[in-house]
């Protein structure tokens, strides 16, 4: 048993009030007894190079030994967290702030208008509906009744063409595996046997007769970690059993597709199938549902682009594509001969990344201009009608509606402004507030500032920094630097309740738009993939250095945070530059880069990462930054809180287990290295509010405590002002 006694000198922030400075110093000692993590002699050989994997046994999520390790690690972690003096204060403030009504944008299905709503602290959002504006809404579906502890969540819902039937999926314990239930939308009665073993799937109705969905064959090993790489599309006809469901696409041993989706066009004429081998690039096929015996027609037979059908008018298809257009464009083509040689530009590519929607007989093209939204309205002849005036600088969501609708509802938010629902008059382009969020927080007291900084190789990278107005740039502000940088995913301004609590403490929240993301199109994405992945880490390091150089913070008050691919970002950054930050928060991270592709659907991430078997050069590159393989002996790493869920079957918890074990074995100095393993939880989606609040209280508590605070910074400020 390795024992460490940490004598933490807790130096409170020096708060300036007029010409006076108040400094408080307290000392706290917390004894940490790390559980002993045994080592095994597992060795893998890659291109003649042997690589030890001493914690391979932790990959077995079904073993009693792993279960015991999880229990003892949690006992140690929570023993530490419970001794943080202001943990309860943070939980109370998070709870109080979270307790406000949250309502999603309405959407029309059949005779009803539906919307999502959470009264405040409900673990899951409830679906309500009404027939006429002004009617008292009724509960249609309440996921809080799915399980007593709130860990069974709603995965998604889709209605039949006439709106009289609904298929919805549920997730148990945070798993990506789903069950599908069919309901009579008018009577709210369940009318079908539950479909099971469904993963990475939507539900798309063929009229009112049945729906398409996707899944893998159930793996032979652990369903939470065994490899799944043969996706298939099925058709379920109402009134039949799941065993009778028709295989539509996939299942050919010679041609594996890891992600396949089947969607029916709004007019119910075409089935569109997208097939991918990785998270980037797809083949595309179409089938005319008006012709019972029609065959699939190929639109694209390669995965060199991301292309999908956004709409159609008769046989005229409208496609969104980045083929020869890194920032995306919309093209048209006839369904009878839809290959790229026949495509015609409809809305050409611009210098900004395009994300279009449709509604009321128009296209609404959202453009990302330095990671903030701009929306233009076009008719179906490609004529620009107007720019939609948005409420401010921020991010819009849900710019979609059915073709016959006269109004469209969208939400607007940024880092300091909660989501507000707006009602757009499609004919004249004017917006009015439909529902405004009421919350115990005044955004006027805070500001968000976008800056551009220079990365290691000269690339200009944008970053939005949010903080309380009047903050003093003295290098002593507690700061969280959050990043992702991968999979063409863009980090746009969004309001998160937990960040408000951080800002209230005088904290700074900074989000750089790293390469690997989609903020500047495909080129920006590719610049952070495979043999260029180090660019992402360099961008993140440069962001930290910018904040330090400009006195927003210093290494003693800087925490870095990221989840999933962002967890990899944190792991790589802290092992490359352990001196740069005080606290590291890798969440559900991809941390073993030599074996990530051997678990669940991980092989599909190879477009971004490459694999250790790909070639010697790729193996050596991955090994050079893989966090699990770069924890060094006798190195002082920052205070680290690794977080994961025991039911995470996307980024399996073994990544986090092995990384934490390496850190605990090799950490030099007094900084704690802990792992917080949420039980009955997955990658994040559907996590109950109660668990989410506890997680953030622990994360913020750990962060501030290890930055030297024994009471919350806001309390110190209030005392000085008093």
């Amino acid at each position: 048993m390795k024992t460490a006694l940490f004598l933490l000198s807790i130096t409170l922030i020096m708060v300036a009030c007029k010409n006076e400075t108040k400094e408080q110093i307290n000392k706290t000692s917390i004894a940490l007894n790390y559980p002993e993590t045994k080592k095994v002699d597992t060795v893998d050989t890659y291109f003649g190079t042997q690589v030890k994997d001493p914690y391979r046994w932790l990959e077995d999520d079904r073993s009693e030994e792993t279960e015991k390790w999880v229990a003892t690690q949690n006992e140690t972690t929570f023993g530490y967290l419970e001794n943080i003096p202001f943990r309860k204060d943070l939980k109370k403030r998070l709870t109080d702030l979270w307790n406000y009504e949250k309502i999603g944008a309405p959407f029309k299905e059949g005779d009803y208008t539906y919307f999502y709503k959470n009264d405040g602290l409900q673990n899951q959002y409830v679906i309500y509906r009404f027939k006429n504006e002004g009617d008292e809404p009724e509960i249609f579906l309440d996921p809080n009744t799915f399980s007593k502890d709130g860990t069974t969540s709603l995965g998604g819902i889709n209605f039949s063409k006439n709106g009289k039937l609904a298929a919805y999926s549920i997730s148990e314990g945070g798993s990506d595996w789903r069950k599908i239930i069919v309901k009579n939308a008018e009577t709210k009665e369940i009318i079908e046997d539950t479909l099971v073993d469904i993963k990475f799937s939507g539900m798309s109705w063929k009229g009112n007769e049945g729906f398409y969905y996707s899944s893998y064959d159930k793996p032979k090993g652990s369903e939470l970690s065994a490899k799944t790489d043969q996706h298939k599309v099925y058709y379920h006809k109402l009134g039949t059993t799941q065993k009778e469901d028709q295989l539509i696409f996939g299942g050919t041993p010679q041609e594996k597709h890891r992600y396949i989706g089947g969607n029916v066009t709004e007019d119910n004429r075409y089935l569109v199938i997208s097939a991918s081998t990785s998270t980037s690039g797809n083949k595309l096929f179409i089938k005319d549902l008006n012709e019972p015996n029609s065959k699939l027609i190929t639109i694209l037979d390669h995965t060199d682009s991301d292309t999908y059908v956004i709409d159609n008018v008769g046989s005229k298809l409208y496609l969104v594509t980045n083929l020869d257009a890194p920032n995306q464009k919309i093209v048209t083509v006839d369904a009878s001969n839809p290959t790229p040689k026949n495509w015609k530009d409809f809305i050409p590519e611009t210098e900004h990344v395009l994300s279009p929607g449709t509604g009321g007989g128009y296209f609404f093209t959202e453009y990302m201009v330095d990671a903030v939204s701009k929306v233009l309205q076009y008719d179906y002849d490609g004529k620009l009608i107007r720019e939609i005036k948005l409420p401010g600088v921020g991010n819009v969501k849900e710019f979609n509606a059915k073709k016959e609708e006269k109004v469209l509802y969208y939400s607007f938010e940024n880092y300091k402004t909660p989501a507000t629902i707006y009602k757009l008059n499609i004919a004249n382009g004017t917006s009015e507030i439909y529902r405004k969020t009421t919350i115990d927080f005044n955004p006027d007291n805070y500001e968000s500032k976008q800056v551009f900084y220079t990365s290691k190789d000269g690339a200009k990278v944008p970053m939005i920094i949010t903080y309380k107005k009047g903050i003093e740039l003295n290098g002593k502000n507690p700061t969280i630097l959050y990043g992702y940088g991968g999979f063409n995913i863009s980090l746009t301004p969004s309001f998160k309740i937990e960040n408000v609590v951080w800002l209230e403490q005088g904290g700074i929240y900074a989000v750089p738009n790293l390469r690997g993301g989609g903020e500047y199109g495909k080129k920006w994405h590719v610049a952070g993939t495979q043999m260029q992945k180090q660019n992402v880490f360099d961008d993140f390091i440069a962001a930290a250095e910018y904040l330090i150089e400009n006195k927003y913070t210093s290494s003693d008050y800087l925490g870095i945070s990221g989840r999933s691919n962002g967890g990899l970002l944190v792991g790589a950054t802290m092992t490359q530059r352990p001196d740069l930050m005080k606290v590291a928060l890798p969440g559900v991270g991809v941390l073993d880069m030599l074996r990530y592709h051997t678990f669940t659907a991980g092989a599909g991430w190879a477009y971004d990462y490459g694999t250790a078997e790909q070639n010697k050069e790729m193996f050596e590159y991955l090994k050079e930054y893989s966090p699990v393989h770069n924890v060094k002996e006798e190195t002082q790493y920052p205070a680290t809180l690794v977080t994961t869920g025991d039911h995470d079957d996307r980024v399996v918890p073994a990544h986090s287990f092995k990384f934490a074990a390496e850190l605990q074995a090799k950490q030099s100095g007094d900084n704690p290295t802990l792992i917080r393993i949420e039980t009955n939880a997955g990658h994040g989606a559907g996590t109950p509010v109660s668990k989410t609040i506890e997680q953030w209280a622990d994360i913020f508590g750990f962060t501030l405590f290890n930055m030297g605070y024994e009471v919350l910074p806001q309390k110190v400020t209030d005392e000085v002002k008093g």
Side-chain angles (χ1 to χ4, degrees):
M1 187 76 70
K2 183 177 179 181
T3 302
L5 181 65
F6 295 120
L7 288 173
L8 302 179
S9 178
I10 310 298
T11 306
L12 298 181
I13 188 171
M14 298 175 67
V15 183
C17 183
K18 296 183 180 179
N19 296 322
E20 298 177 359
T21 299
K22 178 178 180 180
E23 183 177 4
Q24 297 177 322
I25 299 176
N26 292 289
K27 288 187 177 180
T28 299
S29 61
I30 299 178
L32 273 178
N33 296 310
Y34 291 131
E36 184 176 351
T37 305
K38 75 170 185 179
K39 294 184 177 182
V40 295
D41 296 328
T42 306
V43 177
D44 295 317
T45 302
Y46 301 88
F47 303 99
T49 299
Q50 291 190 332
V51 180
K52 294 181 179 180
D53 194 358
Y55 303 114
R56 177 73 61 86
W57 62 275
L58 286 170
E59 293 179 2
D60 186 355
D61 57 270
R62 296 180 298 175
S63 77
E64 290 184 10
E65 199 172 18
T66 301
E67 185 178 347
K68 182 179 179 181
W69 185 88
V70 168
T72 53
Q73 287 286 347
N74 269 344
E75 184 179 352
T76 300
T77 297
F78 286 106
Y80 179 95
L81 295 172
E82 286 164 5
N83 276 284
I84 293 174
F86 43 76
R87 181 191 189 211
K88 290 181 180 178
D89 292 335
L90 284 168
K91 183 178 178 181
K92 183 180 186 306
R93 182 54 182 152
L94 281 160
T95 302
D96 291 345
L97 196 60
W98 221 288
N99 193 15
Y100 72 93
E101 187 179 74
K102 308 164 194 71
I103 298 178
F107 56 97
K108 192 81 179 287
E109 299 291 349
D111 296 331
Y112 290 90
T113 297
Y114 293 81
F115 62 94
Y116 287 82
K117 176 185 171 185
N118 190 307
D119 289 340
L121 294 175
Q122 290 175 290
N123 279 322
Q124 307 292 343
Y125 276 73
V126 178
I127 300 179
Y128 288 80
R129 70 178 182 183
F130 58 86
K131 274 193 174 180
N132 302 300
E133 197 74 46
D135 290 352
E136 182 69 25
E138 65 173 356
I139 293 175
F140 174 68
L141 185 64
D142 184 359
N144 295 290
T145 64
F146 293 171
S147 62
K148 290 183 179 179
D149 61 359
T151 59
T152 300
S153 60
L154 179 66
I157 189 167
N158 198 281
F159 289 82
S160 61
K161 179 68 175 175
N162 60 13
K164 296 182 183 298
L165 299 166
Y168 64 93
S169 64
I170 63 172
S171 165
E172 296 169 319
S175 171
D176 280 332
W177 289 101
R178 302 283 195 260
K179 295 178 179 177
I180 292 180
I181 298 166
V182 182
K183 198 172 190 175
N184 182 317
E186 295 187 318
T187 65
K188 306 182 195 175
E189 294 175 338
I190 294 173
I191 61 171
E192 289 267 321
D193 291 336
T194 299
L195 306 186
V196 298
D197 299 336
I198 292 157
K199 191 171 185 179
F200 296 154
S201 176
M203 298 148 288
S204 188
W205 284 83
K206 177 185 177 184
N208 310 303
E209 307 161 6
F211 55 87
Y212 298 92
Y213 68 91
S214 307
S215 192
Y216 303 91
D217 293 331
K218 204 69 176 287
K220 294 180 181 179
S222 166
E223 70 173 47
L224 294 178
S225 59
K227 192 172 185 178
T228 50
D229 65 352
Q230 181 67 288
H231 219 201
K232 303 173 184 178
V233 172
Y234 294 90
Y235 175 68
H236 176 72
K237 183 176 175 60
L238 295 185
T240 65
T241 65
Q242 187 174 2
K243 289 182 179 179
E244 298 174 82
D245 289 353
Q246 181 184 359
L247 176 64
I248 302 298
F249 190 91
T252 305
Q254 297 83 0
E255 190 176 29
K256 288 186 177 181
H257 295 101
R258 296 185 179 94
Y259 312 106
I260 307 176
N263 292 284
V264 179
T265 54
E266 188 177 335
D267 66 354
N268 208 48
R269 177 165 179 182
Y270 295 106
L271 168 66
V272 181
I273 291 180
S274 172
S276 305
T277 57
S278 72
T279 52
S280 187
N282 65 286
K283 300 175 186 176
L284 198 63
F285 308 90
I286 193 167
K287 176 182 171 67
D288 190 340
L289 296 178
N290 287 348
E291 301 292 333
N293 298 317
S294 65
K295 295 183 179 180
L296 283 176
I297 296 175
T298 300
I299 298 177
L300 279 172
D301 61 359
H302 58 76
T303 58
D304 297 340
S305 72
D306 301 284
T307 302
Y308 62 93
V309 176
I310 187 172
D311 203 359
N312 69 295
V313 176
S315 64
K316 185 178 183 178
L317 306 178
Y318 294 83
L319 308 175
V320 181
T321 184
N322 60 12
L323 185 65
D324 301 322
N327 290 341
Q328 295 202 139
K329 63 181 179 179
I330 302 178
V331 299
T332 60
V333 71
D334 193 270
S336 62
N337 197 1
T339 56
K341 66 180 181 180
N342 299 308
W343 292 0
K344 295 180 180 178
D345 280 4
F346 175 67
I347 298 178
E349 180 190 22
T350 72
E351 62 178 318
H352 302 300
V353 180
L354 167 69
S355 301
T358 61
Y362 293 91
F363 285 90
F364 293 92
T365 61
E366 180 193 348
Y367 291 96
M368 247 185 302
V369 183
D370 295 329
V372 298
S373 296
K374 174 182 178 180
V375 179
L376 304 178
Q377 182 178 356
Y378 289 86
D379 66 17
Y380 271 65
D381 293 322
K383 178 185 175 183
L384 174 63
I385 304 300
R386 62 178 63 90
E387 178 177 351
I388 302 298
K389 185 177 180 181
L390 299 179
V393 176
N395 179 34
V396 295
K397 295 178 182 177
E398 302 159 28
F399 246 93
N400 287 286
K402 289 185 169 60
K403 280 186 178 177
E404 65 270 18
E405 299 299 328
K406 304 297 183 185
V407 297
L408 179 153
Y409 299 91
Y410 67 91
S411 68
F412 174 85
E413 62 184 314
N414 56 36
Y415 288 117
K416 66 184 185 72
T417 306
T420 298
I421 306 301
Y422 287 84
K423 182 178 181 180
L424 174 74
N425 182 311
I426 295 174
N428 62 28
T430 59
S431 296
E432 62 182 76
I433 292 177
Y434 179 73
R435 279 203 173 93
K436 188 173 183 178
T437 301
T438 303
I439 183 174
D440 181 21
F441 169 74
N442 185 358
D444 293 337
N445 294 334
Y446 299 83
E447 62 181 302
S448 285
K449 174 184 178 182
Q450 187 173 57
V451 300
F452 289 82
Y453 65 91
T454 304
S455 191
K456 184 178 180 179
D457 64 353
K460 297 294 183 183
V461 182
M463 174 166 58
I464 294 180
I465 310 171
T466 305
Y467 46 86
K468 191 177 289 186
K469 288 180 179 177
I471 200 167
E472 184 181 351
L473 300 185
N474 58 7
K476 294 184 178 182
N477 300 302
T479 298
I480 288 180
L481 177 65
Y482 178 85
Y484 189 80
F487 296 92
N488 205 35
I489 291 173
S490 302
L491 294 188
T492 53
S494 60
F495 182 83
K496 296 184 184 298
I497 303 168
E498 61 269 21
N499 290 339
V500 171
V501 175
W502 181 258
L503 295 173
E504 285 180 335
Q505 301 308 316
I508 291 174
Y509 185 69
V511 183
N513 298 108
L514 313 172
R515 280 175 285 186
E519 291 86 353
Y520 293 105
K522 194 65 178 175
K523 290 180 180 178
W524 194 252
H525 173 208
V526 171
T529 62
Q530 296 204 28
M531 300 292 285
Q532 300 182 92
K533 187 65 179 175
Q534 184 61 40
N535 285 338
V536 185
F537 313 140
D538 290 342
D539 289 355
F540 201 53
I541 290 168
E545 292 173 337
Y546 176 92
L547 293 170
I548 293 168
E549 289 167 5
N550 289 275
K551 301 294 185 180
Y552 286 96
T553 191
S554 62
S555 293
D556 287 337
Y557 294 95
L558 177 63
I560 61 171
S561 176
R563 292 176 52 81
S564 196
N565 174 73
L568 163 62
L569 173 68
V570 172
T573 301
M574 66 178 283
T575 50
Q576 292 181 17
R577 287 291 307 276
D579 60 305
L580 192 58
M581 73 295 299
K582 187 65 177 178
V583 178
L585 303 166
V588 293
V590 187
L591 298 160
D592 183 344
M593 299 309 297
L594 301 186
R595 288 181 54 75
Y596 77 86
H597 59 293
T598 64
F599 305 111
T600 62
W605 310 336
Y607 182 93
D608 263 56
Y609 297 147
T611 69
E613 286 87 5
Q614 189 171 320
N615 54 55
K616 184 179 180 181
E617 187 181 22
M618 192 73 249
F619 154 68
E620 290 175 344
Y621 191 87
L622 288 167
K623 185 174 179 293
E624 187 68 22
Y625 76 77
S626 175
V628 165
H629 300 93
N630 282 281
V631 181
K632 304 292 194 299
E633 296 278 2
E634 300 304 316
T635 301
Q636 182 163 320
Y637 291 100
T640 304
L641 181 62
V642 181
T643 53
T644 188
D646 67 348
H647 277 62
D648 191 343
D649 49 359
R650 194 173 309 175
V651 180
V652 296
H655 285 276
S656 296
F657 295 173
K658 292 162 77 171
F659 188 54
E662 289 283 355
L663 284 169
Q664 288 178 358
K666 297 174 181 177
Q667 171 73 293
S668 169
D670 293 339
N671 292 330
T673 300
L674 300 171
I675 179 168
R676 186 189 189 282
I677 306 155
E678 190 68 69
T679 55
N680 217 20
H683 200 61
T687 301
V689 165
S690 56
K691 283 181 179 284
T692 301
I693 288 173
E694 289 172 358
Q695 288 170 6
W696 283 110
D698 289 342
I699 289 169
F700 289 154
F702 179 88
T703 301
L704 290 169
F705 189 64
N706 282 283
M707 287 178 177
Y709 296 95
E710 196 174 56
V711 298
L712 289 175
Q714 184 58 46
K715 284 193 174 183
V716 179
T717 303
D718 292 343
E719 286 176 13
V720 173
K721 287 180 178 179

